[in-house]
Amino acid sequence: MKKIVLAVAAATVSIAFSQSAIAGDVLDKVRQNDVVVCGVNTAAPGFSNADSQGKWTGLDVDFCRSLAAAVLGDANKVKFVPLSSPQRFSALQAGEIDVLSRNTTWNLTRDASLGAVFTGIIYYDGQGFMVPKKLGVKSAKELDGATICVQSGTSSEPSVADYFKSNGMKYKAVIFDTTEATQGAFLSGRCQVYTTDMSDLAGARTKAKNPDDYMILPEVISKEPLGPSVRRGDNEWFQIARWVLNALIEAEEYGITQANVDDMRKNSTNPNVQRLTGSGEDMGKLLGLDKDWSYRIIKQVGNYGESFERNLGPKTPLALPRGVNEQWTKGGILYAPPVR
């Protein structure tokens, strides 16, 4: 019996070593190709959106740029691949992209059955409804019998069904494959209501000829924690992606910005700041990166708060408040494990 137990233990150790040996395929590919291939939304202002010159901006875009800064030394070494909702996970599974950063909800079904693993939460969201003001509706409870535009392959489909069922109401779903088609149908009057994440509704309203003609109803009907994900099975790449996100969040917590990162790198005596700016303990070696991996993120992209403000904040067309996405030290729930 003892020999059998030892044999099993040896086999377990052998399997563990073999899994470790094959880890890192994505990192090797990224370094060989000198680019991070990032799957993003086709059109989601504030998260991922391309201008007329093809320049991508948004919170999700900044995460991809941060990943490139950490791994390749240059935040511009990203290839953005626009994906519809039905395409996104199959593209990740097939290895067509290195990371999916596409305002995607982290839930059990996706985490357990789609070959993806989420690296963390980049934005706490929730699903809502937008209507033309002329409809005269002030609450989602008044939408019984409404025609609702919804995008296929999103968590919005089951959530709106659950909401109407639990409130004893009926609706007619008008389903489209892409964000643009769904938004366009609503804005052209093909349906009375548009449902998606609250942040998406704010972005869609900016595309209307007269944004003030539309209102977002107050009800938030679901939890939609949005986050990047990577292909399951490559622990090395997963760890890097996870800690890139954590570094973005923690840099804001310690007040490290693009503008002051060099000064703090030189003068700060706070060990937490020193680790993030590359002047203290070398945390990069634990990730297979160099000592300056997180310094480059802050220097080239900024911290989480800076990204939020330029893409989603009050001075942008979306004009979204920080709300629950504020740092935990300021009354929000944004909280990153420590880089130490």
Side-chain angles (χ1 to χ4, degrees):
M1 177 64 72
K2 188 175 182 180
K3 289 182 179 180
I4 293 174
V5 171
L6 290 173
V8 171
T12 302
V13 172
S14 176
I15 291 170
F17 277 119
S18 65
Q19 287 177 335
S20 177
I22 64 172
D25 288 348
V26 177
L27 179 59
D28 290 343
K29 186 189 80 168
V30 166
R31 283 174 168 162
Q32 181 177 351
N33 296 333
D34 202 31
V35 67
V36 174
V37 183
C38 180
V40 293
N41 204 320
T42 54
F47 288 90
S48 53
N49 196 52
D51 63 17
S52 57
Q53 281 75 46
K55 180 183 178 182
W56 287 88
T57 57
L59 190 68
D60 286 337
V61 166
D62 280 350
F63 171 78
C64 297
R65 297 181 66 243
S66 298
L67 194 54
V71 175
L72 299 175
D74 187 345
N76 294 316
K77 291 184 176 182
V78 184
K79 177 184 178 182
F80 294 102
V81 179
L83 299 167
S84 68
S85 290
Q87 293 173 325
R88 53 185 161 177
F89 286 107
S90 58
L92 185 63
Q93 292 166 356
E96 296 170 6
I97 56 176
D98 303 318
V99 60
L100 179 65
S101 187
R102 191 198 175 281
N103 58 322
T104 297
T105 298
W106 181 1
N107 60 30
L108 188 152
T109 301
R110 290 171 173 171
D111 202 39
S113 65
L114 295 180
V117 56
F118 285 80
T119 63
I121 299 170
I122 198 169
Y123 187 88
Y124 292 89
D125 211 340
Q127 185 174 337
F129 301 96
M130 182 162 64
V131 297
K133 288 181 179 178
K134 65 181 181 182
L135 196 63
V137 171
K138 303 297 182 183
S139 167
K141 297 292 179 64
E142 302 173 43
L143 296 178
D144 191 17
T147 301
I148 301 180
C149 281
V150 61
Q151 187 176 352
S152 65
T154 66
S155 56
S156 298
E157 281 190 278
S159 292
V160 70
D162 288 349
Y163 180 78
F164 274 76
K165 182 178 181 179
S166 64
N167 284 282
M169 301 190 300
K170 295 182 179 180
Y171 70 103
K172 179 182 178 181
V174 184
I175 300 173
F176 301 89
D177 287 337
T178 67
T179 302
E180 295 92 334
T182 313
Q183 293 176 355
F186 169 71
L187 295 174
S188 67
R190 288 187 60 185
C191 43
Q192 299 167 303
V193 185
Y194 179 29
T195 187
T196 185
D197 295 347
M198 297 291 273
S199 60
D200 261 357
L201 294 177
R205 187 165 58 179
T206 66
K207 297 189 175 185
K209 184 177 181 180
N210 296 301
D212 288 341
D213 290 344
Y214 299 89
M215 68 176 295
I216 298 172
L217 300 180
E219 288 86 358
V220 179
I221 69 169
S222 68
K223 294 182 293 184
E224 306 294 337
L226 310 179
S229 60
V230 296
R231 195 159 52 257
R232 187 174 296 278
D234 190 328
N235 290 332
E236 184 178 16
W237 184 242
F238 165 70
Q239 292 288 347
I240 290 171
R242 176 162 66 178
W243 285 100
V244 164
L245 177 56
N246 289 337
L248 279 165
I249 295 170
E250 196 170 49
E252 182 189 17
E253 180 182 341
Y254 288 109
I256 314 170
T257 68
Q258 274 187 298
N260 70 19
V261 64
D262 287 321
D263 179 68
M264 296 191 80
R265 177 184 172 98
K266 181 179 179 181
N267 298 309
S268 178
T269 57
N270 184 329
N272 297 296
V273 172
Q274 291 175 342
R275 281 188 283 265
L276 284 164
T277 59
S279 62
E281 185 181 1
D282 184 357
M283 306 308 296
K285 63 183 179 182
L286 299 175
L287 298 170
L289 303 177
D290 66 359
K291 191 175 182 178
D292 286 341
W293 68 280
S294 50
Y295 163 78
R296 288 193 299 272
I297 292 173
I298 305 164
K299 181 67 175 178
Q300 297 183 27
V301 182
N303 64 39
Y304 178 90
E306 290 177 290
S307 180
F308 187 102
E309 289 304 309
R310 67 173 169 258
N311 293 303
L312 302 167
K315 295 181 180 180
T316 70
L318 275 72
L320 292 174
R322 283 293 292 265
V324 295
N325 292 289
E326 184 58 271
Q327 286 280 342
W328 68 285
T329 53
K330 298 181 179 180
I333 60 175
L334 198 69
Y335 185 109
V339 178
R340 67 165 185 262

